[in-house]
C-alpha cells in the first residue's frame, strides 16, 4: 500500500488556513475525485494529477451554489451523469455536466490548479429537509436517491424525475448515514438514537430495527456512515461498540445480527465503506474489502475472509476522518503479473482539510471477480436485472420494445406524472408508513405498558406512566393504560382516537389481544381515578376436543388468581342458562367473574359508563363530558359482568345470562332483556351493531336500528378446530389402522379479539396463531383475511414487531400496531399474536424465509391478490385502492398477460355495446358488480392503466381497454 497526500488538494487558497473537507467520492470512471467542505463549495479534481505527478491540470471544476457547508457528495452509478450534494443549508442539489461551450467566466485561472476545464450546473434543487443534510446515497440502478439529515427524517427521491417518493420518519434522533442494498431490496439508515433501521424499497415499509451493536456506545460522532457489502450478505455500521471498545459492526442480512465486528480503532468510527467489487485470491474464497476510519485519525482495511486487517494506518490526519471512497481500476487484475499492479484506490478526507489517497495492488486485495459472478451472488438475494426498455438501465442485451400507438405514449406520460406525485408513497402507506412512518413515530410502541393480570389495579396517572403494583401472590405487576379487555373493561380515553379509526376499535392500546387500534392514542388521561379491574382474562380462552388453552398468567406459573370456568355463580337469583347446553358444547370460552366495579371505553358522547355491583342489585351510571350524570339504571337481582357502548347503543350482560340494550344518549331501554343459550364471554358495540360471543362459541350480531340479526348464532368452532387438527403420519401400511387415525392433542390456539365491520356488521375474529377471519354474510362462511404463515416469502409478508422484547419479557411489553388502515391493523396484530406465541414456545424465527426468486415472485403476486380480496371482504375502500395499485405495479413488472387481462376485465365489466368491449370482457361468464368495497371498479381501472402501460409488452391490451374505458366514462 502506498499513501499520497497532495498538498494542493484543499478547499482554501490560503495555505495557512485549511477548510474542513466533509465528503469525498470517485466518479465511476475514476477520472474525477469530488470533495466538499466547510467553504460551501464542491471541487472536482483530476485523479491522474494525484497518481501521476507529471499532470499539470489539477482542479477540474468548482461548484458553488450551496449557501452552507457541503456535508456529502455522491456520483450516480454507471455513467456518473449526476452528482448529488447535501449541505447544512437544508438543500440537496443535483448537478449535471454542461456539455456545451463553456462561458468565459469559467476559463479564468484558479488559484488551486490552473484553468477550469468543466462546467457542472445544478439542474434540480430538492427541498424538504428541515435541517442539515448529512448523507445521501443512490440506489444501485439509480432509480432512487435517498437523503437524511438532522431533522430525524429520511427522504427518498425518484432518480429520474427527482420528485419526492417517500418520507421515512421512524428515527427519534439525528439520522447521520444511509446506504442501499446492492440487490435493490433494502435501504439501511443509521441514527443517533442508537439504531440502524432497514427499510424495504418495494413499499418503503420498515423491515427491521437493529439496536444491539449500539447499546453500549457512548461516543458522539459527526457522521454515522454505513456501507453495504457488494455481495449483499452484510452491512457494516459505523460508531458501534463492544462494551467500551469502539468497533464497526458487521450486521448479517436477514437475521440482522451483529456477530462480527471490525476491532482495533481506539476512538469512535465515523465512516465505513465497502469497495463496490468482490475480490478473490488464488488461495482463498471470494471476499469483500471494507475500509473504516474515525476519530483516531487512522484508517483500517479489512477482507471479510480474514480476521485481521490487511492494512492499518495511524495518525494519518491531524483531524477526525470524515468520509471514505473507493475506485477499482478497470481490467487491472486481468494480466498475469507478480501482483504489483494497482487494482484499487481508497480516498479519505479529514476535518483538518486534507485528503489522502491509498493505492492497493493485486497482491494485497486479489483480483476483482467478473460482473457475471458478482451478479450471481446478488441473485440469491432477489436481485433481477432490469430490462433495457426502462430508462434506468440500458445494459441488457434485449431489444427495446417500442411504443405502438399515441395512446400508449399518453398512458406512459400519465403514469410518470402519477409517479412524480405519489408513486411509491401510496404503496408505502398501505403497509402503513411503518412500513413509511407518519409524522408521529411509526416505529415506536405506545408509551403504555400492559400485563396479563386479573388482580385489582391501583391508580392511573395523568401523565400516562405505568404504575407498578403488588399482586396478592406478592409478584410485581404494571397497571395497564387505556386498555379494554375483551370482557368490556377499559380506562377512560379521549374520543379523538375514534375519529381516526375508520370505524374499527380505536380505543385499545394492544398488548396481546386488542384487534383494531388506531394509529394514534391519547397520551394523557383524565384526573387520577381509583379503578378496579374486571376479573376477566385478557385472552378469551378456547377449549376444543376436551382441552383448553392456558392463560398467559398460567403460562408464567401464576395460577393462584386465575379462574377458567364455563359457568358463573349468579348473584341474587338463579341463572336462566341451562348447564346442559354448556356441558354439551364443543367449545368453552371463559366468562368474567362478578366484581364490584365494571367500566367501559368512552365514546364521543359518553365520558364514562360504569356499573357498580352490590349484594342483590347493580347500578349503571353514564357520565357526560362535562362531568354531569346523563342517566342511571338500576338492575335488580343480578350483577353486571360485561359493559360496552357506542354512540348509538349501550349493552350490559348480567350474571343471570341476560343481555340488556339501552340508548347511549338517554339510557332508554331499546328491547326487553335477551336470553341466550349460554353466558357471554365477550360483548362489543360498534355504531348500531352489537356483537355478543357466548361461552359455547356462538357469535351473534344485531342491527339495533333495524331489529335484525346480521349474524345469527355463528359458531367459532371451525376456526378453533381447524387450527389444531393434526393427523399421525408415522404409521405405514403394515401397522394397526387405529394408529393412522387423527389424534387429539393439547389445544394451542385461543381467540384473542372479536369485532365487527362498521358498515355491514360482519363479525371479525382473531386467533392467537396470527390468523384473522371475517364472516361473509352472503356466503355464510368464515373467510381467512390474514395468515402470517400463508405467504412466507412474499415481498409483503408480515414482519416481526418493531419493538422487540427479550424472551423473558414476552407479553409484558406494550405493543401498539403502527398501521392505520383496517386490514393493516388486523394483520399486524395477528402477526404480533403469532410471534408472541412462538416466543413463548421457543419456536420463534427471525429474518426472512429463504425462498428462491421465482417462488418469491409467484408468492408475492398471490399475496397481493389475496390482500385486494381481503380488503374487499371487510369493506375497506382505502386498502382496496392501494393494494390494487401495488398489484398493478407488480403485474407490469412481471409482464403476466393472463393475470393482467383478468384484472382489467374484472374492473371494466360489460360495455354498452359489443363493439365497444374487448372480446375477453364480453365472453366473461362472471356476474359483474360495479363497486369494490365502495369504490367504482372503472375508477380503479382508470388509475391502474397508466401503471400497466409502463410495460410495453402489454401495450396492445392496455390501449384496447383504455379506449373502451374512455367511451364508457364519456
Amino acid at each position: 500500500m502506498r499513501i499520497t497526500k497532495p498538498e494542493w488538494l484543499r478547499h482554501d487558497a490560503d495555505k495557512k488556513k485549511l477548510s474542513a473537507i466533509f465528503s469525498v467520492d470517485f466518479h465511476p470512471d475514476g477520472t474525477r475525485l469530488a470533495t466538499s467542505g466547510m467553504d460551501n463549495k464542491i471541487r472536482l479534481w483530476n485523479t491522474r494529477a494525484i497518481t501521476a505527478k507529471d499532470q499539470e491540470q489539477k482542479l477540474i471544476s468548482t461548484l458553488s451554489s450551496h449557501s452552507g457547508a457541503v456535508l456529502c457528495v455522491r456520483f450516480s452509478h454507471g455513467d456518473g451523469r449526476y452528482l448529488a450534494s447535501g449541505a447544512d443549508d437544508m438543500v440537496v442539489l443535483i448537478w449535471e455536466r454542461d456539455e456545451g461551450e463553456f462561458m468565459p467566466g469559467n476559463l479564468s485561472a484558479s488559484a488551486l490548479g490552473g484553468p477550469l476545464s468543466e462546467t457542472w450546473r445544478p439542474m434540480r434543487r430538492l427541498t424538504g429537509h428541515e435541517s442539515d443534510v448529512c448523507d445521501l446515497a443512490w440506489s444501485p440502478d439509480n432509480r432512487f436517491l435517498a437523503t437524511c439529515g438532522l431533522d430525524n427524517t429520511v427522504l427518498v427521491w425518484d432518480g429520474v424525475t427527482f420528485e419526492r417518493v417517500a418520507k421515512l420518519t421512524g428515527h427519534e434522533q439525528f439520522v447521520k448515514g444511509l446506504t442501499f442494498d446492492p440487490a435493490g431490496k433494502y435501504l439501511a439508515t443509521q441514527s443517533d438514537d442508537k439504531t440502524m433501521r432497514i427499510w424495504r424499497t418495494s413499499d418503503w415499509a420498515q423491515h427491521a430495527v437493529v439496536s444491539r451493536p449500539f447499546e453500549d456506545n457512548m461516543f458522539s460522532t459527526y457522521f454515522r456512515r454505513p456501507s453495504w457489502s457488494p455481495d449483499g450478505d452484510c452491512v457494516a455500521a459505523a460508531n458501534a461498540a463492544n462494551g467500551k471498545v469502539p468497533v464497526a459492526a458487521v450486521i448479517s442480512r436477514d437475521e440482522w445480527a451483529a456477530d462480527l465486528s471490525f476491532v482495533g480503532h481506539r476512538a469512535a468510527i465515523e465512516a465505513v465503506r465497502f469497495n463496490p467489487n468482490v475480490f478473490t485470491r488464488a488461495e482463498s474464497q471470494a471476499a469483500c474489502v471494507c475500509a473504516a476510519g474515525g476519530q483516531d485519525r487512522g484508517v483500517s482495511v479489512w477482507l471479510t475472509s480474514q480476521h485481521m486487517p490487511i492494512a492499518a494506518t495511524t495518525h494519518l490526519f491531524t483531524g477526525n476522518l470524515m468520509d471514505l471512497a473507493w475506485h477499482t481500476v478497470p481490467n487491472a487484475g486481468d494480466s498475469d503479473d507478480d501482483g504489483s499492479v494497482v487494482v484499487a484506490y481508497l480516498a479519505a478526507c479529514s476535518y483538518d482539510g486534507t485528503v489522502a489517497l491509498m493505492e492497493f495492488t493485486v497482491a494485497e486485495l486479489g483480483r476483482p471477480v467478473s460482473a457475471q459472478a458478482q451478479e450471481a451472488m446478488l441473485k440469491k438475494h432477489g436481485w433481477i436485472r432490469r430490462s433495457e426498455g426502462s430508462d434506468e438501465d440500458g445494459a441488457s442485451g434485449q431489444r427495446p420494445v417500442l411504443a405502438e400507438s399515441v395512446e400508449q405514449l399518453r398512458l406512459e406520460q400519465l403514469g410518470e406524472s402519477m409517479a412524480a406525485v405519489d408513486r411509491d408513497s401510496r404503496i408505502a402507506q398501505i403497509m402503513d408508513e411503518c412500513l413509511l412512518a407518519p409524522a408521529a413515530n411509526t416505529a415506536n410502541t405506545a408509551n403504555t405498558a400492559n400485563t396479563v393480570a386479573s388482580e385489582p389495579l391501583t391508580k392511573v396517572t395523568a401523565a400516562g406512566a405505568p404504575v407498578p403494583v403488588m399482586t396478592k401472590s406478592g409478584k410485581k405487576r404494571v397497571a395497564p393504560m387505556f386498555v379494554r379487555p375483551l370482557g368490556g373493561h377499559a380506562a377512560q380515553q379521549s374520543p379523538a382516537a375514534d375519529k381516526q379509526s375508520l370505524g374499527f376499535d380505536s380505543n385499545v392500546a394492544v398488548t396481546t389481544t386488542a384487534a383494531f387500534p388506531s394509529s394514534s392514542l391519547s397520551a394523557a388521561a383524565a384526573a387520577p381515578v381509583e379503578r378496579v379491574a374486571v376479573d376477566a382474562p385478557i385472552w378469551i380462552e378456547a377449549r376444543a376436543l376436551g382441552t383448553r388453552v392456558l392463560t398467559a398468567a398460567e403460562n408464567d406459573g401464576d395460577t393462584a388468581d386465575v379462574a377458567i370456568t364455563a359457568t358463573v355463580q349468579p348473584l341474587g337469583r338463579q341463572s336462566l342458562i341451562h348447564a346442559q347446553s354448556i356441558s354439551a358444547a364443543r367449545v368453552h370460552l371463559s366468562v368474567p367473574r362478578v366484581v364490584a366495579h365494571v367500566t367501559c371505553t368512552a365514546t364521543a358522547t359518553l365520558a364514562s359508563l360504569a356499573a357498580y355491583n352490590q349484594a342483590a342489585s347493580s347500578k349503571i351510571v353514564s357520565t357526560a363530558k362535562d362531568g354531569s350524570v346523563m342517566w342511571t339504571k338500576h338492575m335488580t337481582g343480578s350483577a353486571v359482568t360485561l359493559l360496552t357502548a357506542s354512540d348509538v347503543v349501550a349493552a350490559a350482560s348480567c350474571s343471570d345470562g341476560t343481555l340488556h340494550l339501552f340508548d347511549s344518549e338517554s339510557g332508554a331501554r331499546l328491547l326487553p332483556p335477551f336470553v341466550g343459550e349460554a353466558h357471554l364471554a365477550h360483548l362489543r358495540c360498534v355504531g348500531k351493531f352489537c356483537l355478543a360471543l357466548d361461552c359455547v362459541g356462538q357469535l351473534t350480531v344485531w342491527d339495533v336500528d333495524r331489529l335484525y340479526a346480521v349474524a345469527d348464532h355463528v359458531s367459532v368452532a371451525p376456526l378453533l378446530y381447524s387450527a389444531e387438527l393434526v393427523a399421525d403420519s408415522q404409521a405405514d401400511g403394515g401397522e394397526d389402522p387405529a394408529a393412522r387415525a387423527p389424534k387429539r392433542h393439547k389445544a394451542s390456539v385461543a381467540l384473542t379479539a372479536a369485532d365487527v365491520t362498521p358498515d355491514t356488521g360482519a363479525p371479525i375474529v382473531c386467533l392467537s396463531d396470527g390468523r384473522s377471519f371475517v364472516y361473509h354474510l352472503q356466503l355464510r362462511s368464515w373467510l381467512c383475511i390474514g395468515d402470517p404463515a400463508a405467504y412466507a416469502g412474499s415481498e409483503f409478508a408480515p414482519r416481526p414487531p418493531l419493538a422487540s422484547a427479550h424472551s423473558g419479557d414476552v407479553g409484558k411489553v406494550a405493543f401498539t400496531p403502527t398501521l392505520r388502515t383496517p386490514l393493516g391493523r388486523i394483520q399486524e396484530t395477528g402477526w404480533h399474536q403469532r410471534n408472541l406465541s412462538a416466543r413463548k414456545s421457543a419456536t420463534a424465527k427471525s429474518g426472512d424465509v429463504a425462498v428462491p426468486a421465482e417462488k418469491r415472485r409467484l408468492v408475492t403476486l398471490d399475496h397481493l391478490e389475496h390482500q385486494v380480496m381481503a380488503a374487499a371482504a371487510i369493506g375497506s375502500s382505502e386498502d382496496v385502492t392501494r393494494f390494487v395499485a401495488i398489484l398493478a405495479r407488480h403485474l407490469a413488472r412481471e409482464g403476466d398477460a393472463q393475470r393482467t387481462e383478468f384484472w382489467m376485465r374484472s374492473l371494466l365489466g360489460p360495455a354498452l355495446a359489443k363493439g365497444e368491449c374487448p372480446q375477453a370482457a364480453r365472453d366473461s361468464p362472471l356476474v359483474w358488480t360495479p363497486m369494490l368495497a365502495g369504490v367504482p371498479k372503472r375508477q380503479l381501472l382508470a388509475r391502474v392503466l397508466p401503471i400497466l402501460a409502463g410495460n410495453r409488452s402489454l401495450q396492445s391490451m392496455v390501449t384496447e381497454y383504455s379506449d373502451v374505458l374512455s367511451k364508457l366514462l364519456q
Side-chain angles (χ1 to χ4, degrees), residues 8-339:
W8 45 264
L9 204 161
R10 60 188 184 276
H11 272 247
D12 202 309
D14 184 359
K15 297 182 180 180
K16 297 181 181 179
K17 184 181 179 181
L18 298 179
S19 180
I21 298 179
F22 294 116
S23 186
V24 61
D25 195 44
F26 280 103
H27 190 276
D29 63 10
T31 60
R32 306 171 186 85
L33 179 68
T35 59
S36 64
M38 185 77 77
D39 60 350
N40 307 351
K41 293 179 175 60
I42 303 167
R43 300 186 187 273
L44 301 183
W45 307 90
N46 186 351
T47 308
R48 288 287 299 170
I50 306 174
T51 59
K53 298 181 179 180
D54 57 343
Q55 297 289 324
E56 296 182 0
Q57 184 67 28
K58 299 180 177 66
L59 180 64
I60 297 176
S61 185
T62 299
L63 289 60
S64 56
S65 293
H66 280 290
S67 59
V70 186
L71 303 181
C72 187
V73 287
R74 293 290 184 265
F75 283 102
S76 60
H77 301 292
D79 58 1
R81 174 183 176 184
Y82 299 121
L83 174 66
S85 60
D88 64 7
D89 58 4
M90 302 180 290
V91 173
V92 177
L93 293 180
I94 307 299
W95 303 82
E96 185 178 28
R97 181 179 176 182
D98 190 346
E99 302 290 350
E101 294 293 332
F102 301 125
M103 295 180 293
N106 288 333
L107 298 178
S108 59
S110 168
L112 294 175
L116 302 177
S117 60
E118 290 182 1
T119 297
W120 289 68
R121 58 180 180 85
M123 51 87 63
R124 288 301 300 267
R125 185 176 186 269
L126 311 183
T127 59
H129 283 286
E130 298 177 358
S131 188
D132 301 8
V133 181
C134 289
D135 201 10
L136 52 85
W138 296 88
S139 64
D141 57 1
N142 294 329
R143 186 183 178 192
F144 300 113
L145 172 68
T147 61
C148 65
L150 303 187
D151 56 358
N152 305 354
T153 64
V154 178
L155 300 183
V156 183
W157 313 85
D158 188 283
V160 178
T161 64
F162 295 105
E163 299 295 333
R164 194 167 82 184
V165 170
K167 182 178 181 180
L168 314 181
T169 57
H171 285 290
E172 299 178 354
Q173 296 185 32
F174 301 155
V175 188
K176 293 185 174 179
L178 45 76
T179 180
F180 271 102
D181 168 23
K185 187 176 180 180
Y186 299 119
L187 169 68
T189 59
Q190 198 171 341
S191 166
D192 277 350
D193 61 6
K194 297 184 179 181
T195 65
M196 171 178 282
R197 298 178 186 266
I198 311 298
W199 312 82
R200 294 199 302 271
T201 59
S202 59
D203 53 15
W204 300 114
Q206 190 166 245
H207 178 78
V209 179
V210 182
S211 58
R212 186 173 298 276
F214 316 103
E215 292 175 350
D216 300 330
N217 180 22
M218 302 298 294
F219 310 108
S220 176
T221 56
Y222 207 102
F223 301 104
R224 293 173 180 254
R225 287 174 165 158
S227 181
W228 214 298
S229 63
D231 59 2
D233 286 345
C234 60
V235 57
N239 201 9
N242 185 358
K244 296 183 179 180
V245 179
V247 300
V250 181
I251 301 169
S252 60
R253 189 189 188 95
D254 295 337
E255 290 81 8
W256 311 116
D259 298 329
L260 301 175
S261 298
F262 296 145
V263 184
H265 287 269
R266 293 175 294 178
I269 296 175
E270 295 266 359
V272 291
R273 193 79 178 265
F274 274 99
N275 187 292
N277 292 87
V278 179
F279 290 82
T280 181
R281 290 181 174 181
E283 70 278 4
S284 63
Q285 60 182 358
C288 302
V289 182
C290 185
Q295 295 180 358
D296 61 357
R297 303 169 185 180
V299 177
S300 61
V301 181
W302 303 74
L303 282 174
T304 55
S305 60
Q306 299 183 10
H307 65 280
M308 294 291 289
I310 62 172
T313 64
T314 58
H315 304 292
L316 182 62
F317 302 104
T318 59
N320 294 345
L321 183 141
M322 297 282 101
D323 199 8
L324 297 162
W326 283 97
H327 171 65
T328 303
V329 180
N331 305 320
D334 295 345
S335 60
D336 297 330
D337 55 10
D338 57 359

